[in-house]
Amino acid sequence: MNSWLFFKTAVSRVVYFAFGLFVVLGLVTPSWRYGPFSWWPLLSFERLAGAPVTPGVLNLLPVIVGLGWLTARLANGRISPSALWHPPGITLPLAGLTALGLASMDPASPRRLFIYTGALALMWLVYLFTRDERPFLPPILATIILIQSSVALGQFFRQGDLGLVTLGELPLNPAFSGITVLFARGTRWLRAYGLTAHPNLLGAILMLALLLLWPHYGRSRSWQKAGYGMVIAVGLCGLFVSFSRAAWLAMGSGIIVWWGDKRPFSPTRHQFITHLLPTLPLLLFILTYGDLALSRFTALNTPIESQSINQRTSDIQIALHIITANPLHGVGMGNYLSAARPFNEYAVVVHNVPLLVTAELGLPGLALWLWLILTPFQLYRQGRLSGEQIAPWVAMIVINQFDTMLWAGSNWQTGIMFGLLTGLVAQTKITHDESTAIFSTSLRQNEASKTRHEEYG
């Protein structure tokens, strides 16, 4: 018995550690092709998903999480088919979107199949594990924030990359074409990338991690509060130097919803001041570099900003054309660019999730997306979600009107973030009726077990 208990405990610890390490590496590595995911290579492919790649041992982390978690649940007798769909308002539309996405993919494009099937698989792994196991996320979030923000701040002050090639950092020079910059004080300023492929992705990662960590900071005590406060302060500065307008707006929206919710607590003046303390370094950044941030809203006639706006306007029009031509079935997940390029050879993926979902999955996809998006608000009104749970969800909706960085159908990193966020809002409080049903089911199982025991001695 002791050996069996030791085995189950060891498996659970390995799974939890693997999950945390996977989420951290997944959100601090620009690509699974290089950086940490290429360390300790296992195999070498001349062509996989469109390019040569040598995946490393860390690519096995999601496999370890999935198989280890399934083993632990089987060992503990915690496999319940009926619980798989709970809560139905989140899991069912998520399953519907997944089925539509898989059915719509073009089998003639192995690269797209690999990328988008992988993104959906990772989303489901993170979603189910977060929903059912409720892992303790603050250390994971704090690690992500510290790594990404430290690199981002170094890039901003240096106005170039830090040479972290082994970690997957991209070569960054604001003078080169293709590098994302802003124009202020008569020169080009590098927008920090951190360890991501784009400043907007950096902004989305930091925004989400900060909104999830900040409430925990308010509940912490002594040295933990000081530690998390420092992490939040660094993270806010990292978010600032991403110069992502969408992430800033989403962060502000999430804070307003969280602080505006009066059900979890009524903050005293001391608590309110405590929550504001991590913003002091950000205020110094605003005083020093506020004109750079302001230029993203006022200098819209500069070539850099006007090109960005014109591109987004053009892509919205193209998306509407695609939707009009394919209203029921869409063009298929991952096929947006192939459908958009005939309209404009320089088209990019539309920076709006509802339009992207409708263009790729048709009106049924939009209906499922709306069902998924609106369900947490219903759960919130029922008192089954708290303000700190609904705040990141609101922030996701806001950022998804201007970008696709928090949508599962973009890439594997966005799949991880979307799975994490949906898993958190699926952690609903159990109602009285559900509690009674669970008790009745448990009672019936105990009675059945007792009967079998009496029959077989």
Side-chain angles (χ1 to χ4, degrees), residues 60 86 192 306:
L60 295 177
H86 179 81
S306 61

Side-chain angles (χ1 to χ4, degrees), residues 73-102:
R73 290 182 73 85
L74 286 171
N76 291 306
R78 294 171 58 201
I79 299 295
S80 172
S82 60
L84 179 64
W85 305 105
H86 179 81
I90 293 176
T91 306
L92 289 179
L94 201 59
L97 286 166
T98 302
L100 276 180
L102 292 174

Side-chain angles (χ1 to χ4, degrees), residues 305-324:
E305 298 299 341
S306 61
Q307 180 183 358
S308 174
I309 293 173
N310 292 337
Q311 177 76 65
R312 290 175 184 243
T313 303
S314 172
D315 290 328
I316 289 174
Q317 294 172 348
I318 292 172
L320 293 174
H321 284 304
I322 294 174
I323 293 169
T324 303

Side-chain angles (χ1 to χ4, degrees), residues 31-33 45-54 108-115:
S31 173
W32 62 278
R33 295 180 180 277
F45 297 92
E46 292 184 4
R47 192 169 187 84
L48 181 61
V53 64
T54 304
S109 177
R111 178 179 179 274
R112 293 174 190 167
L113 279 173
F114 181 85
I115 292 173

